[in-house]
Amino acid sequence: MSFRKRSEVIGGPPGVSPRTPAGVSRPLRPAVPGRGPIAPGTVPSRAPASPAGHVPPQPPSARRAQPPEIKNPAIRPSLITSQPTISTGGADLDKILLHQGLPLGHSLLIEESGSTDFASVILRAFASQAIIHNRIDKDQLHAHVVVIGVNPQWSNDLPGLYKGSSKEQKKAKIAANESKISVSNLANQSTRENDMKIAWRYGLKQKVEADAANDTDYTHQFDITQKLVPGPAATDISYIQLTPDYHTIIERLEAIVQKYESKVCRIVIPGLLNPSLYPPQCSSPNFIIPFVHSLRAVLRQHPNTALISSLPLDLYPRDSTVTGVLESLFDGVLYLQPFNQEMSQLIEKAYKNEPSKIQQGLVNIIKLPVLSEKGLMMIRDGEYAFKNGRKKFEIEEWGIPVEDEGEEKSTTKDIEF
Amino acid sequence: MSNQQQDLIFFQDNSLLSEEIITSESSVLSVISHVQGTSPSWLLNSLIENGLNGTATLINNDLNKKRSNRAEVFFVSFLHSKDFYIQNCKKNGLDLGHFTNFHFIDCFTNLFTKYIKDFKESSRGVSEIFGQIEKQVEAVGGTRKIVFIEGLELLLLSNAGKANDLLSHILKLNRKCRHLLVVSAQDSPQIVKLHANTTQDPAFEVSDFLVKLYHRSQLNINLQPLATGRANDITGSLTISRGSVPVESIIPGLRVVENEYIYHVTKDASIKLFYR
């Protein structure tokens, strides 16, 4: 008894019958309809066979009629509302937004108090994420970044991909060396391939790998100490300079968004109303409210867009009218509240043996896209804390650290019961 | 606090948008105010449903008698597009795109790019907007008309309009329908500053507008978060109170049922109301 591979056609390669003598043509009609050898180029069908046993070939137009599957690795359905959602460039931020990212057609405002600029880390990761998405496929662009109000030098500081800890980088180097063609590598490779032979036969391995690749393409980890190399190209990013007339900005934005209609357009507005970027007249209600309202209209009209912006709260406190209106016009609002000196000292003292646990401030949720507008109470004050490290902008649940009162002294006295 | 789930009612005839108002010859004005964290969109969806069908599936089980084309419902929004309401009303079993008696007047998409372009002539722009709204309301025949208007405070906050002008437009619009519901944010001190000294402060205009509106209204609905802080099973409290002009003075026999509810809106858009 001999064994054959499942995929191998019984009777040898199609068109050649071992039982038929050479020169004698074998009829194509099989003994059992639908069980015969598959002619090359035809698709096996489970439909009942025609009375004559002949399956009429499908016209090419019928095959083409199926809608082409549009795949953009930058987009995923929201976990809550199933709306198309994009990653913000930070897995933790995606998680606290509850949608696993920012739903397209919506906006996020990052407010920050104090003299720090943690918000810019989030904004830059948001932009970098788009550029990394553009580098997944060689000939296809998936996203475009539009930066409003800053000069092109802003993109020089975009963070690069996190390549792992030094240990992981060494492992990656070894893996890279192993993948090079050499006699020893080829010898090792053949043994590894044998191990996977069964899985390969059923196509399982390829599927798992494809799924894993799709998962990793959606969001990436960025290293703020690394620069994005090579920097963004002109097809990746556009800049819109500020003008005292908000109509011009909106018109330019709409033109760019329409140009890149088939791609995800990520709009970034760093340091909204920061006096070093915005002229004084921009903080007047005649400019800022119509400007943000028109941006909201653009987002709703073009569902391939998403906006992120930062606002310095020391200049425009939360109880000011401007901030109140901005909070009502943006779909999502997060407030980064860095710890004061006393709190920072307490945390440093509590985690003196574990410096990686030291958090830098609180992340207060004021509004979440879609959910807050539906009437859900989404305000979360002091429930999350952030720490900005080389590895990533980490957001975790906040708990007041317990301060150890020195090392516990061992009991010297015998306890008598 | 009672544990039993309650139906929401505004008037003593156990109704939300009372039939007596719709059939009367008077015009009723209501104010729905809210703050950050208690968006009233779930309430508006149910009120739209009540206006169109007479039902309110999510907030009142007793209102279950469907009446097609109960009233002409106009929704004017300065904050949202039509898609927002079409999407959200699906939970109420409504496909707004197919209702001939639902009219959405979009004042959001082109507000500051088409209607109010030049702030030196903003009052003319505001007049044009209200002129068009009135025209659209008048163009539909019949008298059974309910109008919702949302996000008016944006005109005041951007210095596009003045409180007194807006009030005059609102009262004109109210006369063209049976029930006008004005939906406004009321965050204090960001949007409403009752002690604002300077007229240059946009919050002064909003405060002025709302205070004057409250002096004309018959029904006030206020949504706010719990004063005790966030709770997992409560979204906020809803207060129903009589306005300065009692509804019984214009429609005899009808009375606002003053009540305070606590409510909970869940992620799957189910709503639970309890007496407070």
Side-chain angles (χ1 to χ4, degrees):
Chain A
M1 190 180 166
S2 62
F3 292 95
R4 284 176 191 277
K5 278 185 184 176
R6 268 191 174 190
S7 57
E8 200 174 296
V9 178
I10 298 168
V16 181
S17 168
R19 291 181 196 167
T20 316
V24 179
S25 66
R26 189 172 169 265
L28 266 173
R29 195 169 62 178
V32 182
R35 289 279 181 102
I38 300 157
T42 57
V43 182
S45 164
R46 295 230 170 189
S50 59
H54 171 71
V55 180
Q58 265 192 316
S61 60
R63 263 175 277 156
R64 250 181 273 134
Q66 289 176 344
E69 202 178 342
I70 300 163
K71 277 190 176 178
N72 192 334
I75 304 173
R76 252 191 204 178
S78 154
L79 286 183
I80 293 181
T81 58
S82 302
Q83 284 173 281
T85 302
I86 56 164
S87 170
T88 56
D92 289 340
L93 182 57
D94 288 350
K95 204 173 154 188
I96 68 161
L97 289 175
L98 298 182
H99 296 274
Q100 207 63 31
L102 180 61
L104 283 174
H106 290 80
S107 53
L108 179 67
L109 177 68
I110 311 284
E111 299 177 342
E112 185 174 350
S113 54
S115 54
T116 51
D117 194 12
F118 291 111
S120 73
V121 177
I122 296 174
L123 265 64
R124 285 196 164 95
F126 184 77
S128 274
Q129 183 62 80
I131 290 145
I132 296 297
H133 279 150
N134 279 347
R135 291 174 186 173
I136 293 169
D137 296 323
K138 262 188 179 176
D139 307 319
Q140 201 181 355
L141 298 176
H142 296 293
H144 189 81
V145 184
V146 186
V147 189
I148 301 176
V150 288
N151 56 30
Q153 273 79 46
W154 184 82
S155 60
N156 291 348
D157 294 328
L158 290 183
L161 280 177
Y162 176 68
K163 288 169 187 164
S165 61
S166 55
K167 215 176 186 179
E168 286 165 341
Q169 281 187 27
K170 273 179 197 166
K171 270 187 188 173
K173 219 174 187 179
I174 292 166
N177 280 335
E178 278 179 353
S179 66
K180 283 176 189 168
I181 297 168
S182 69
V183 178
S184 61
N185 282 348
L186 284 173
N188 289 335
Q189 208 176 357
S190 63
T191 54
R192 259 180 278 140
E193 272 177 9
N194 283 337
D195 295 341
M196 299 303 291
K197 207 166 188 178
I198 296 165
W200 165 80
R201 187 174 289 172
Y202 292 102
L204 296 173
K205 192 184 163 227
Q206 283 172 357
K207 198 183 170 193
V208 169
E209 275 176 0
D211 286 350
N214 283 342
D215 279 353
T216 51
D217 284 345
Y218 178 70
T219 186
H220 294 85
Q221 213 173 321
F222 294 96
D223 183 349
I224 52 166
T225 60
Q226 298 290 320
K227 280 187 181 180
L228 188 71
V229 179
T235 49
D236 293 328
I237 197 162
S238 307
Y239 297 90
I240 299 175
Q241 296 307 314
L242 285 172
T243 56
D245 183 14
Y246 68 89
H247 293 110
T248 322
I249 303 171
I250 297 295
E251 277 164 16
R252 281 183 198 163
L253 176 66
E254 280 202 300
I256 295 171
V257 168
Q258 275 165 6
K259 190 180 169 189
Y260 295 96
E261 210 164 11
S262 59
K263 294 161 190 66
V264 172
C265 275
R266 291 170 179 248
I267 305 162
V268 186
I269 310 179
L272 187 64
L273 291 181
N274 191 327
S276 62
L277 302 167
Y278 288 74
Q281 64 267 30
C282 289
S283 59
S284 123
N286 286 355
F287 177 91
I288 188 65
I289 294 172
F291 173 53
V292 178
H293 187 275
S294 305
L295 283 173
R296 186 180 160 96
V298 170
L299 288 169
R300 295 295 189 270
Q301 281 173 293
H302 302 277
N304 62 320
T305 52
L307 185 150
I308 193 163
S309 179
S310 62
L311 179 77
L313 280 190
D314 278 5
L315 298 164
Y316 302 94
R318 281 206 66 211
D319 58 2
S320 68
T321 303
V322 170
T323 308
V325 180
L326 292 180
E327 284 182 2
S328 72
L329 289 174
F330 275 84
D331 300 300
V333 183
L334 298 180
Y335 168 26
L336 303 182
Q337 189 181 7
F339 292 131
N340 58 27
Q341 211 175 355
E342 284 173 0
M343 193 64 185
S344 301
Q345 281 170 353
L346 175 76
I347 294 168
E348 277 170 27
K349 208 174 165 187
Y351 293 131
K352 62 184 170 192
N353 296 327
E354 298 162 297
S356 63
K357 280 191 174 175
I358 295 172
Q359 292 130 332
Q360 279 130 9
L362 293 174
V363 180
N364 299 321
I365 299 171
I366 294 160
K367 222 175 158 188
L368 287 184
V370 185
L371 300 174
S372 294
E373 285 203 324
K374 282 190 172 177
L376 275 81
M377 162 55 74
M378 284 295 153
I379 297 173
R380 302 277 188 279
D381 266 348
E383 289 190 18
Y384 296 97
F386 70 87
K387 54 186 177 202
N388 185 31
R390 189 174 76 90
K391 202 171 159 188
K392 61 176 175 175
F393 189 87
E394 212 170 323
I395 300 171
E396 55 192 18
E397 280 193 23
W398 162 243
I400 299 166
V402 181
E403 198 181 349
D404 290 336
E405 291 295 334
E407 285 179 17
E408 280 183 28
K409 287 172 188 170
S410 57
T411 318
T412 49
K413 283 179 187 175
D414 292 333
I415 302 164
E416 286 177 14
F417 295 100
Chain B
M1 180 185 132
S2 165
N3 286 329
Q4 206 181 347
Q5 202 176 324
Q6 299 296 325
D7 286 339
L8 181 69
I9 52 162
F10 294 159
F11 299 99
Q12 111 281 5
D13 59 351
N14 293 327
S15 65
L16 290 169
L17 301 173
S18 178
E19 188 64 23
E20 287 190 48
I21 295 174
I22 298 170
T23 51
S24 76
E25 287 180 358
S26 313
S27 299
V28 170
L29 176 69
S30 301
V31 182
I32 301 175
S33 57
H34 59 93
V35 294
Q36 186 73 265
T38 56
S39 165
S41 75
W42 61 272
L43 179 65
L44 297 176
N45 298 337
S46 289
L47 293 180
I48 291 172
E49 182 195 346
N50 193 241
L52 294 171
N53 278 342
T55 57
T57 41
L58 300 179
I59 57 172
N60 191 323
N61 291 323
D62 287 344
L63 296 174
N64 52 12
K65 205 177 166 189
K66 229 177 198 180
R67 283 187 56 191
S68 55
N69 292 339
R70 185 183 175 223
E72 298 292 334
V73 176
F74 297 83
F75 203 104
V76 186
S77 183
F78 289 83
L79 262 178
H80 294 110
S81 60
K82 189 181 180 181
D83 286 345
F84 177 78
Y85 285 99
I86 289 179
Q87 200 65 33
N88 285 346
C89 281
K90 281 181 183 166
K91 278 279 173 194
N92 296 59
L94 299 180
D95 186 358
L96 291 182
H98 289 107
F99 276 89
T100 48
N101 55 332
F102 179 74
H103 313 271
F104 188 86
I105 302 171
D106 187 358
C107 293
F108 161 70
T109 309
N110 296 315
L111 178 63
F112 292 112
T113 47
K114 191 178 159 191
Y115 295 115
I116 303 168
K117 269 187 144 180
D118 184 5
F119 275 81
K120 283 172 194 159
E121 294 175 6
S122 59
S123 63
R124 209 171 69 183
V126 173
S127 301
E128 256 176 52
I129 292 170
F130 276 92
Q132 283 191 15
I133 295 169
E134 283 169 31
K135 220 185 256 176
Q136 289 194 46
V137 173
E138 277 175 332
V140 176
T143 54
R144 300 167 69 94
K145 291 175 189 171
I146 300 165
V147 179
F148 294 84
I149 189 158
E150 173 197 47
L152 267 178
E153 68 276 10
L154 271 176
L155 295 177
L156 299 168
L157 290 166
S158 60
N159 284 340
K162 293 281 166 201
N164 290 339
D165 296 342
L166 224 53
L167 211 64
S168 123
H169 290 303
I170 285 288
L171 297 177
K172 235 194 247 177
L173 183 63
N174 195 11
R175 271 181 237 124
K176 298 194 189 309
C177 62
R178 297 285 74 86
H179 198 163
L180 174 70
L181 296 106
V182 180
V183 187
S184 175
Q186 206 180 262
D187 298 79
S188 183
Q190 293 98 323
I191 291 172
V192 173
K193 268 184 208 161
L194 289 174
H195 302 292
N197 303 323
T198 165
T199 51
Q200 301 300 315
D201 189 347
F204 172 85
E205 288 291 330
V206 183
S207 315
D208 191 28
F209 171 71
L210 281 174
V211 167
K212 285 174 180 168
L213 206 62
Y214 280 128
H215 277 81
R216 299 295 297 254
S217 69
Q218 280 83 43
L219 166 68
N220 299 329
I221 303 155
N222 177 245
L223 294 99
Q224 54 188 354
L226 291 179
T228 47
R230 194 183 71 81
N232 279 335
D233 52 356
I234 296 171
T235 305
S237 75
L238 185 146
T239 314
I240 294 157
S241 52
R242 276 184 284 181
S244 303
V245 181
V247 71
E248 49 264 46
S249 69
I250 52 170
I251 303 170
L254 193 66
R255 193 170 47 83
V256 170
V257 180
E258 291 198 317
N259 246 328
E260 195 171 354
Y261 299 85
I262 50 171
Y263 70 95
H264 183 220
V265 184
T266 59
K267 279 177 192 162
D268 60 350
S270 73
I271 298 139
K272 285 176 184 168
L273 288 137
F274 307 94
Y275 282 138
R276 195 164 191 186

